[in-house]
Amino acid sequence: QVQLVESGGGVVQPGGSLRLSCAASGRIFSINRMGWYRQAPGKERELVAFKTIGGMTNYADSVKGRFTISRDNAKNTVYLQVNSLKPEDTAVYYCNMNYRATYNTGYLEHWGQGTLVTVSS
């Protein structure tokens, strides 16, 4: 069993900040990539940011300069520092992991349960 446990969501005023965390546990041999997606009401899930084991990062254009993704590889944990929040950032934020369960298996995807971020005055 593999688990992704997210935390850090909440209600914040425009311009505010939050730090989202996602900790992976379970049968994990190696993690290739960890990242965050979000889904706003009535919209499709979209990529926010991801970071590979090698340190490469990718951000959605809408969050560049405001959000920062980081990883603690030793703890299998990924963080998302979200600053200068806007009402349009309101969404459920999902942690995503691309990993291998054993040394001789292919890469798998796993999702967290989501954490709600609400930006409102």
Side-chain angles (χ1 to χ4, degrees):
Q1 294 281 353
V2 171
Q3 277 192 314
L4 293 176
V5 179
E6 299 140 329
S7 61
V11 180
V12 62
Q13 292 186 340
S17 299
L18 288 171
R19 190 189 193 212
L20 308 183
S21 300
C22 172
S25 62
R27 193 182 186 193
I28 300 169
F29 174 73
S30 65
I31 298 175
N32 175 47
R33 185 184 71 239
M34 293 187 78
W36 294 90
Y37 288 69
R38 68 185 181 186
Q39 187 165 19
K43 295 188 176 182
E44 294 186 353
R45 192 174 296 189
E46 62 176 2
L47 172 70
V48 176
F50 70 74
K51 188 163 188 173
T52 69
I53 187 68
M56 185 186 76
T57 58
N58 187 43
Y59 292 92
D61 288 343
S62 59
V63 307
K64 284 181 180 177
R66 300 188 298 123
F67 291 11
T68 302
I69 190 168
S70 60
R71 279 177 65 173
D72 185 332
N73 292 331
K75 296 181 179 179
N76 286 345
T77 299
V78 65
Y79 306 95
L80 187 68
Q81 179 67 41
V82 296
N83 298 327
S84 303
L85 283 162
K86 306 175 182 179
E88 52 264 42
D89 294 318
T90 295
V92 178
Y93 285 68
Y94 295 92
C95 181
N96 172 266
M97 179 175 68
N98 180 265
Y99 74 105
R100 293 165 68 188
T102 65
Y103 74 96
N104 61 349
T105 57
Y107 286 98
L108 304 171
E109 296 282 338
H110 197 78
W111 293 90
Q113 80 285 357
T115 184
L116 178 62
V117 172
T118 302
V119 184
S120 174
S121 55

